[in-house]
Amino acid sequence: MSNQNLGLETQAIRTQLERTQYLEHSVPLYLTSSFIFEDAEDMRASFAEEKERNIYSRFSNPNTSEFVEKICLMEGAEDGYAFATGMAAVYSTFAALLNSGDHIVSASSVFGSTHTLFTKYFPKWNITTSYFDVNKPETIENFIQPNTKILYAESPTNPAVDILDLELLGKIAKKHNLILIIDNCFATPYIQNPIQFGADLVIHSATKLIDGQGRVLGGVTVGRSDLIREIYLFSRNTGPALSPFNAWVLSKSLETLPVRIEKHCENALKVAEFLENNPNVASVKYPFLKSHPQYEVAKKQMKLGGNIVAFEIKGGIEAGRKFLDKIKLCSLSANLGDTRSIVTHPASTTHSKLTEEERLAVSITDGLVRVSVGLETVQDVINDLKQALE
Ligand SMILES: *Cc1c(COP(=O)(O)O)cnc(C)c1O
């Protein structure tokens, strides 16, 4: 039976991994650094890659393979490789595919450490990046150079929850023969599948909604098998592999991803609707609110609106700081996509080192608050936000 024809929920639960002699129902944990060979010929053939088998857990392990197989099925990808963190996935993907002299065109608002890679580290190897405004995707082609190799974006973006039209990005990438890479972390494989719209590779920080319970870090890159082959060879030699234990945890997490995401999104929509009607809130951004500037695009490419709500508190930086201090139930944390709701105020925390002008270039206004809506009783979350806004 091919899992490709099964529903996404089934793909997240049932895998083809062979059982051991104990016929366990749930996939066991293979905590082993290496695997043994039958004889010299088996060892030779294994190293010559004449057979697919596990050799060493830096290359592959039954638990990491099972996790990757599920993500591939859910994303409609040919192949993948799992990493210790989301940033290991981002870094290794670029490092495996780029040469000195290559150029990246990236959305202006990307995850902070990804931005740091582009601005601080890649220039050391003569890899340069140009940024397009996420709200002006029609300008992307102006940034493409003869040496551009990768088009990179996240959607929804962090922390402003802007939406990029993936179909448009897919068309531009195809026309200019670029590798389109989408960091799909905020949407998860349940809500959005960028490969459908022309992405060549999809990256996830599994630390966020895929684990969803704030326990382990992990990352994964899936997509075109020829590109994954390069990423695999780079990674098996440089060592950013996901640990078998974390792979086992993340694979278990996937089994409940669909039901968790349904509830996260139901709660987030209620929080967004509450905020829209609060007098101390200037504006709210949530992909599935009609007021979102890219509502139509969001509806086209996303099954649900996600769990992140951004809003603009009246009164700027000071009001944002006061709001954080009054929060009682929600957590103040840099993480997101947890069962526990989390609030952040980027202008006074994560992005406080930037000038106001630099912040505005990445859509961070002084009063911007980001809520990662969790799985608590939603009225309790709303009550907490309400009292903090008063
Ligand atoms: C958190 C995050 C990352 C990095 O993932 P880690 O697992 O923390 O290394 C990358 N991209 C996005 C969009 C993220 O939110």
Side-chain angles (χ1 to χ4, degrees):
M1 184 174 63
S2 161
N3 274 12
Q4 250 144 11
N5 302 321
L6 296 172
L8 190 130
E9 291 82 358
T10 316
Q11 290 170 341
I13 293 171
R14 300 259 171 202
T15 42
Q16 312 281 44
L17 196 72
E18 279 172 37
R19 292 190 161 79
T20 71
Q21 75 270 32
Y22 299 113
L23 298 181
E24 63 283 337
H25 192 194
S26 170
V27 174
L29 174 55
Y30 294 88
L31 267 188
T32 177
S33 48
S34 59
F35 301 82
I36 53 173
F37 304 95
E38 302 285 346
D39 49 31
E41 172 51 25
D42 181 28
M43 197 162 184
R44 184 205 61 78
S46 301
F47 274 93
E49 294 189 65
E50 285 165 19
K51 43 171 110 171
E52 223 175 280
R53 55 108 79 219
N54 296 299
I55 297 174
Y56 191 61
S57 289
R58 168 151 45 81
F59 308 175
S60 69
N61 169 285
N63 290 118
T64 52
S65 301
E66 199 230 1
F67 172 63
V68 169
E69 183 194 320
K70 284 184 180 179
I71 298 281
C72 285
L73 284 166
M74 295 169 86
E75 285 286 12
E78 292 170 356
D79 205 355
Y81 186 84
F83 297 89
T85 67
M87 279 323 298
V90 173
Y91 170 73
S92 305
T93 299
F94 280 103
L97 300 178
L98 292 177
N99 293 312
S100 172
D102 286 342
H103 176 253
I104 303 162
V105 172
S106 167
S108 50
S109 42
V110 289
F111 186 68
S113 295
T114 305
H115 195 262
T116 305
L117 278 185
F118 293 163
T119 53
K120 186 164 176 201
Y121 295 103
F122 287 172
K124 294 206 300 184
W125 300 300
N126 194 25
I127 293 166
T128 50
T129 307
S130 303
Y131 304 95
F132 66 89
D133 183 334
V134 288
N135 291 310
K136 293 185 192 127
E138 67 281 3
T139 65
I140 293 175
E141 288 184 294
N142 302 345
F143 298 97
I144 297 173
Q145 306 173 3
N147 59 338
T148 305
K149 196 155 174 202
I150 287 174
L151 178 59
Y152 187 78
E154 300 169 7
S155 185
T157 64
N158 179 28
V161 202
D162 290 313
I163 301 291
L164 273 161
D165 187 335
L166 298 180
E167 197 179 353
L168 175 69
L169 296 189
K171 282 192 184 133
I172 294 171
K174 191 156 192 181
K175 181 172 156 201
H176 295 274
N177 200 20
L178 308 178
I179 300 168
L180 176 61
I181 306 179
I182 300 293
D183 181 333
N184 202 27
C185 172
F186 273 39
T188 79
Y190 182 67
I191 290 183
Q192 170 176 286
N193 299 129
I195 289 170
Q196 268 180 11
F197 301 100
D200 298 290
L201 293 170
V202 173
I203 296 177
H204 285 283
S205 164
T207 314
K208 313 294 168 54
L209 289 148
I210 290 179
D211 174 48
Q213 289 146 87
R215 302 168 297 185
V216 300
L217 292 107
V220 64
T221 301
V222 299
R224 256 170 58 189
S225 55
D226 58 327
L227 301 174
I228 293 294
R229 174 80 186 154
E230 293 301 317
I231 295 163
Y232 163 73
L233 290 175
F234 176 83
S235 303
R236 86 176 234 175
N237 286 299
T238 53
L242 180 64
S243 81
F245 178 77
N246 285 4
W248 178 82
V249 171
L250 291 169
S251 185
K252 295 282 165 217
S253 304
L254 282 179
E255 299 183 11
T256 57
L257 183 80
V259 287
R260 284 189 286 111
I261 297 298
E262 286 283 344
K263 190 68 181 172
H264 270 294
C265 296
E266 185 189 316
N267 287 357
L269 185 59
K270 284 185 183 149
V271 167
E273 284 167 353
F274 154 76
L275 290 166
E276 249 193 344
N277 295 311
N278 187 286
N280 295 317
V281 171
S283 62
V284 182
K285 247 180 68 235
Y286 182 69
F288 272 29
L289 278 185
K290 286 218 174 65
S291 56
H292 193 291
Q294 294 106 8
Y295 173 75
E296 294 300 330
V297 179
K299 280 275 178 183
K300 178 179 75 173
Q301 65 196 29
M302 298 170 77
K303 194 191 288 184
L304 292 165
N307 85 314
I308 309 292
V309 182
F311 71 93
E312 185 69 25
I313 194 166
K314 286 184 186 164
I317 294 231
E318 239 352 89
R321 285 176 54 94
K322 279 197 188 128
F323 169 78
L324 285 193
D325 278 339
K326 284 170 84 176
I327 283 289
K328 292 192 180 106
L329 179 81
C330 298
S331 316
L332 311 185
S333 166
N335 195 17
L336 62 94
D338 194 291
T339 50
R340 290 155 277 253
S341 295
I342 294 165
V343 294
T344 53
H345 177 234
S348 73
T349 58
T350 46
H351 294 72
S352 63
K353 288 200 197 92
L354 306 187
T355 65
E356 190 178 347
E357 203 173 40
E358 287 169 329
R359 282 201 294 269
L360 286 178
V362 290
S363 311
I364 296 170
T365 48
D366 284 350
L368 180 80
V369 176
R370 185 190 77 186
V371 189
S372 166
V373 181
L375 299 179
E376 304 98 332
T377 307
V378 67
Q379 195 55 48
D380 292 335
V381 177
I382 289 173
N383 289 345
D384 191 31
L385 298 173
K386 192 173 171 190
Q387 63 80 27
L389 278 164
E390 267 158 20

